[in-house]
């Protein structure tokens, strides 16, 4: 019998040996995972029994009013004033199939969903905060804000 095992080992390719090792490891991991899942389920059930879900309430979000700074109940924004954010301008957008995307090359034109002369969207970290128009500032592009969304409206958009 031992001679048969030796022959089988010699006849197995390296890939087959590796596959057998992986299979054994996966079976071992499944056995350990089942125990871990049972422990996790028991811990979750215990936690739910100790603290009913009815007590969970969303944290209140401060409402930013349109009142000027220094007025009454305004939150202290000094703690976040130095945090960098990404500001971007969106000329427009469109959707095209990947087939057409792969065919694009230098000189290709993509039609956008905006009309020429329409204001651009000004986004901060992907959230719309204003609309504006392109201007030149010292031989560089800039944007003149034409309509700024109020802080309370921005907070409402974030909550959606």
């Amino acid at each position: 019998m031992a001679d048969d095992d030796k022959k089988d080992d010699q006849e197995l390719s390296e890939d087959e040996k590796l596959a057998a090792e992986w299979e054994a490891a996966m079976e071992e991991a499944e056995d350990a995972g089942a125990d871990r899942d049972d422990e996790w389920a028991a811990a979750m059930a215990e936690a739910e029994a100790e603290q009913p879900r009815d007590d969970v309430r969303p944290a209140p979000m401060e409402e930013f009013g349109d009142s000027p700074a220094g007025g009454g109940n305004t939150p202290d924004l000094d703690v976040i004033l130095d945090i960098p954010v990404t500001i971007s301008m969106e000329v427009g957008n469109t959707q095209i199939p990947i087939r057409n995307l792969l065919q694009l090359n230098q000189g290709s034109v993509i039609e956008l969903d905006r009309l020429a002369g329409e204001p651009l969207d000004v986004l901060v970290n992907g959230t719309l905060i204003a609309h504006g128009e392109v201007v030149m500032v010292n031989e560089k592009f800039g944007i003149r804000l034409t309509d700024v969304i109020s802080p309370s409206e921005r907070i409402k958009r974030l909550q959606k």
Side-chain angles (χ1 to χ4, degrees):
M1 185 89 165
D3 290 335
D4 289 340
D5 289 340
K6 198 180 273 187
K7 285 180 185 175
D8 287 343
D9 285 343
Q10 290 172 352
E11 291 175 7
L12 291 177
S13 71
E14 290 297 318
D15 290 340
E16 291 170 330
K17 289 179 186 176
L18 186 59
E21 288 177 24
W22 271 103
E23 184 178 347
M26 293 299 288
E27 288 174 2
E28 188 177 307
E30 286 177 6
D31 293 341
D35 294 340
R36 191 171 42 237
D37 289 344
D38 291 342
E39 291 173 13
W40 176 256
M44 291 301 292
E46 183 180 324
E48 286 179 6
E50 291 174 4
Q51 193 173 35
R53 299 224 18 117
D54 294 340
D55 292 346
V56 178
R57 283 183 246 141
M61 184 112 177
E62 297 251 356
E63 287 291 328
F64 290 98
D66 291 327
S67 62
N73 232 355
T74 60
D76 184 16
L77 297 178
D78 290 338
V79 295
I80 63 168
L81 292 179
D82 292 329
I83 296 174
V85 294
T86 301
I87 186 167
S88 58
M89 283 25 109
E90 186 175 283
V91 176
N93 58 57
T94 191
Q95 289 187 344
I96 61 173
I98 293 176
R99 177 183 332 282
N100 295 2
L101 178 66
L102 294 173
Q103 294 173 350
L104 294 176
N105 54 35
Q106 188 172 355
S108 295
V109 176
I110 302 171
E111 183 178 347
L112 301 176
D113 62 350
R114 289 260 169 102
L115 298 173
E118 200 173 336
L120 280 66
D121 289 341
V122 180
L123 308 165
V124 173
N125 287 349
T127 301
L128 179 68
I129 62 148
H131 298 285
E133 58 189 16
V134 176
V135 295
M136 292 294 292
V137 181
N138 298 330
E139 299 181 14
K140 292 185 180 180
F141 286 114
I143 189 161
R144 176 180 295 124
L145 301 181
T146 57
D147 180 35
V148 179
I149 297 173
S150 70
S152 60
E153 182 64 27
R154 284 181 247 162
I155 294 296
K156 286 177 188 173
R157 288 177 188 226
L158 288 174
Q159 291 176 341
K160 289 181 184 179

